[in-house]
């Protein structure tokens, strides 16, 4: 699998589409990254659709308001897509694989922004299934990551489920996208080509309707981690 290849220690291209849109943010995870650039991902939709376990462990998820979701990419019709970044990393990605445990890490084609020509493939955090998580990590780990917080499903939230982005994380991604060093094509795409679980509401529309999200600061000890 792509994840096994990533664990093998050879050079790998990573696709970033949330907080990793900022090179500065990417370097918090991958200090030695190289060849950072903006590309087009076609045939995938970027969606806040699943609860991020780490948000519960860090105390920044709010189940009472359903503001619990992290970001993933899911297969979509060919005309759907978004702008992302790619960069190269060397060495083992074991820590990254564990950190992104709920995702299917898949090799996905990325394209030139102008011509649409496929330039290569990169490792991307894609939507998975509850069953896959349990098979990969076990029921006990599922209970630790989801059940103990009152969360019944990771990947089966329907379009009308009403789950919303975790505010601290969305603010983090929005700040990362708004970094002056970020290519405007990546920035605008984040706001206009990222959707809530209904697959209709864009992040831009949601933030315009819920401006308090950008005032939702992380706990002091997480300020550096969740500030773009």
């Amino acid at each position: 699998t792509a994840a096994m290849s990533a664990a093998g220690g050879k050079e790998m291209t990573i696709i970033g589409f949330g907080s990793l849109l900022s090179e500065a943010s990417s370097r918090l995870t991958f200090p030695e990254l190289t060849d950072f650039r903006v590309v087009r991902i076609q045939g995938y939709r970027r969606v806040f659709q699943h609860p991020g376990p780490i948000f519960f462990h860090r105390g920044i998820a709010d189940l009472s308001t359903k503001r619990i979701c992290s970001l993933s990419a899911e297969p979509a019709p060919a005309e759907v897509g978004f702008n992302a970044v790619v960069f190269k990393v060397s060495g083992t990605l074991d820590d990254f694989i564990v950190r992104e445990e709920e995702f299917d890490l898949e090799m996905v084609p990325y394209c030139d922004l102008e011509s649409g020509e496929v330039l290569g493939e990169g490792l991307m955090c894609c939507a998975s299934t509850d069953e896959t998580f349990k098979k990969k990590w076990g029921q006990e780990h599922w209970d630790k990551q989801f059940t103990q917080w009152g969360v019944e499903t990771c990947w089966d939230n329907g379009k009308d489920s009403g789950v919303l982005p975790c505010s601290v994380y969305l603010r983090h991604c929005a700040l990362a996208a708004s970094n002056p060093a970020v290519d405007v094509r990546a920035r605008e795409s984040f706001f206009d080509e990222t959707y809530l679980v209904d697959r209709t509401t864009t992040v831009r529309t949601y933030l315009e309707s819920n401006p308090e999200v950008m005032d939702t600061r992380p706990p002091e000890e997480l300020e550096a981690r969740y500030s773009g």
Side-chain angles (χ1 to χ4, degrees), residues 62-82:
D62 185 353
L63 192 58
S64 66
T65 61
K66 298 189 175 182
R67 294 186 176 196
I68 59 176
C69 286
S70 186
L71 196 54
S72 63
E74 65 180 13
E79 67 272 13
V80 177
F82 56 88

Side-chain angles (χ1 to χ4, degrees), residues 44-104:
Y44 284 82
R45 183 186 292 108
R46 180 167 42 190
V47 189
F48 281 98
Q49 65 168 304
H50 77 283
I54 195 147
F55 300 159
F56 289 91
H57 286 282
R58 289 177 170 170
I60 60 173
D62 185 353
L63 192 58
S64 66
T65 61
K66 298 189 175 182
R67 294 186 176 196
I68 59 176
C69 286
S70 186
L71 196 54
S72 63
E74 65 180 13
E79 67 272 13
V80 177
F82 56 88
N83 296 343
V85 298
V86 294
F87 51 85
K88 293 178 180 175
V89 296
S90 298
T92 177
L93 294 181
D94 288 349
D95 291 346
F96 178 71
I97 292 167
V98 170
R99 193 186 85 173
E100 311 295 358
E101 64 181 6
E102 72 265 30
F103 300 96
D104 282 346

Side-chain angles (χ1 to χ4, degrees), residues 20-66:
L20 298 183
L21 289 171
S22 159
E23 184 171 354
S25 182
S26 290
R27 287 190 182 279
L28 291 175
T29 304
F30 302 104
E32 308 298 322
L33 70 83
T34 60
D35 202 16
F36 190 94
R37 56 207 163 108
V38 181
V39 297
R40 183 75 181 168
I41 308 297
Q42 208 63 42
Y44 284 82
R45 183 186 292 108
R46 180 167 42 190
V47 189
F48 281 98
Q49 65 168 304
H50 77 283
I54 195 147
F55 300 159
F56 289 91
H57 286 282
R58 289 177 170 170
I60 60 173
D62 185 353
L63 192 58
S64 66
T65 61
K66 298 189 175 182

